[in-house]
Amino acid sequence: MSKIITEDVHVPRESAEDVFLFGTPKDRLDFYRREIQYETSLLSNRTNAYLTAQSFLVIAFASSMANLNPAWGELFTLIVPTLMAVLGVVSSLNAWPGFKASNVIIDHWHFKQSHLLKSDPVMGNAYDDSPLFNETESSHKGYRKSLMFSMRTPWLFMFFWLVLGSFCICVQLSNAS
């Protein structure tokens, strides 16, 4: 039986510190906090853009409902505001996945942060033995309350557009008869 002789390849061994991505629990906590801050700012930007678009759509809806042109005003105020209400519903449905995705990611990083704070007693307490983060900040219930506005906004606007669209159709059809 023949053997293939090769040179020994020197593979450097990893030390215990190199095995972990983060050097210390403080580095890990800082990373989690940065990720939470980044995702929260993305959610805030999405909410601002959504609210801006919705406010312009509400203004356009109100302006189109105020059309008093005797020749084509009735048909215009029946079709255009209804289409804007449909656009409002569709944009709300399309905005929801982005809001939900941000919420899931923020939830993930808060979960990891709370486990780090609970698993490492040094990280959970400051130098004077008082908690660095109180239970409200690190609990699931605490930060979820701050995300409620962004999470509910698309649903509230969708309901708002459904009511306005129905109102628009009812008013125009009752005026036509």
Side-chain angles (χ1 to χ4, degrees):
M1 175 190 252
S2 63
K3 290 185 177 180
I4 300 176
I5 301 175
T6 61
E7 291 181 33
D8 287 337
V9 178
H10 177 64
V11 178
R13 291 188 172 240
E14 296 179 351
S15 67
E17 290 98 12
D18 293 336
V19 172
F20 297 108
L21 178 63
F22 304 102
T24 65
K26 168 97 171 70
D27 293 338
R28 182 171 288 178
L29 180 65
D30 289 342
F31 175 76
Y32 294 162
R33 300 293 285 187
R34 280 192 309 271
E35 289 299 312
I36 291 168
Q37 182 179 9
Y38 174 74
E39 288 299 328
T40 304
S41 66
L42 278 179
L43 181 60
S44 174
N45 291 339
R46 285 182 181 137
T47 304
N48 288 337
Y50 175 76
L51 289 174
T52 301
Q54 292 297 311
S55 66
F56 282 115
L57 199 55
V58 169
I59 292 167
F61 178 88
S63 298
S64 64
M65 284 295 289
N67 186 356
L68 298 175
N69 187 322
W72 47 273
E74 288 181 19
L75 184 62
F76 181 85
T77 54
L78 175 64
I79 295 174
V80 174
T82 305
L83 289 176
M84 287 185 189
V86 169
L87 178 62
V89 169
V90 169
S91 68
S92 294
L93 289 173
N94 284 322
W96 172 247
F99 288 115
K100 181 69 176 165
S102 288
N103 186 46
V104 167
I105 293 169
I106 291 168
D107 202 25
H108 168 77
W109 290 117
H110 269 283
F111 175 77
K112 291 186 81 69
Q113 174 185 279
S114 70
H115 277 281
L116 175 65
L117 293 173
K118 288 177 185 175
S119 68
D120 192 349
V122 175
M123 289 302 299
N125 292 325
Y127 294 109
D128 59 359
D129 292 331
S130 62
L132 183 60
F133 297 101
N134 64 22
E135 189 61 29
T136 305
E137 290 175 333
S138 60
S139 74
H140 182 74
K141 191 176 182 182
Y143 73 89
R144 296 286 292 177
K145 286 183 180 179
S146 66
L147 299 176
M148 286 295 210
F149 178 75
S150 292
M151 297 305 296
R152 290 181 178 166
T153 300
W155 297 109
L156 291 172
F157 266 102
M158 188 172 72
F159 177 74
F160 172 75
W161 284 116
L162 289 172
V163 169
L164 274 183
S166 301
F167 172 74
C168 167
I169 291 171
C170 289
V171 166
Q172 295 304 321
L173 293 179
S174 68
N175 284 344
S177 53

